[in-house]
Amino acid sequence: ATNLAQNFDTAFIRRIHYHIEIPVPDEKTLRILWEKKIPDAVPGRSGLDFEVLAKESIGLVGAEIKNAVILAATHAVQREGSKRKIITKDLLKSINIVRRSKQDIGGCGYKRTIEGLDVD
């Protein structure tokens, strides 16, 4: 399956009876996705800035939001004590990594980066 119709060859297109276009989420929908993908029980959730996350993730889809959350969580659990929680900066770094991966591997052309963040 793909969401890139330009990758379909003509023989494949002839076999598809229905085409359903699912648009990329807008900013309001992205905020909802972030809130749904990070459960209340996740340490640090109450301090997250969902408005910033929605703005910075424009152009991403739900699966990419999920990947960013998982990546941020893997960094958060490596910390000690009270610092072992997800923070907005973790998620912003993860958004940047997801964008870079998509650009590098998928060649999809997402060139937006988050200014001022060290991705290391």
Side-chain angles (χ1 to χ4, degrees):
T2 181
N3 60 353
L4 301 173
Q6 67 267 26
N7 291 343
F8 295 165
D9 68 18
T10 54
F12 185 69
I13 291 171
R14 284 194 309 269
R15 290 169 176 82
I16 298 175
H17 300 284
Y18 300 99
H19 299 266
I20 301 170
E21 182 178 347
I22 300 172
V24 175
D26 61 11
E27 194 172 319
K28 179 181 176 184
T29 305
L30 286 166
R31 182 186 169 113
I32 294 166
L33 284 169
W34 282 109
E35 290 173 349
K36 298 263 184 207
K37 297 289 182 187
I38 304 172
D40 291 339
V42 170
R45 186 190 191 282
S46 63
L48 296 177
D49 189 337
F50 290 106
E51 290 294 324
V52 168
L53 294 172
K55 283 182 173 114
E56 293 298 333
S57 60
I58 291 172
L60 298 184
V61 297
E64 293 163 330
I65 301 297
K66 178 181 175 183
N67 289 343
V69 170
I70 292 169
L71 183 59
T74 61
H75 288 105
V77 299
Q78 295 176 41
R79 297 188 192 113
E80 300 288 328
S82 64
K83 293 184 178 185
R84 197 174 208 185
K85 61 184 177 183
I86 288 183
I87 58 174
T88 301
K89 187 175 179 180
D90 293 332
L91 292 161
L92 293 173
K93 287 181 181 182
S94 296
I95 290 167
N96 205 21
I97 292 167
V98 167
R99 283 190 196 284
R100 281 190 186 176
S101 296
K102 191 167 187 171
Q103 181 181 357
D104 293 347
I105 296 169
C108 295
Y110 289 117
K111 300 211 186 287
R112 183 173 177 184
T113 59
I114 300 168
E115 298 297 323
L117 289 179
D118 181 14
V119 182
D120 296 332

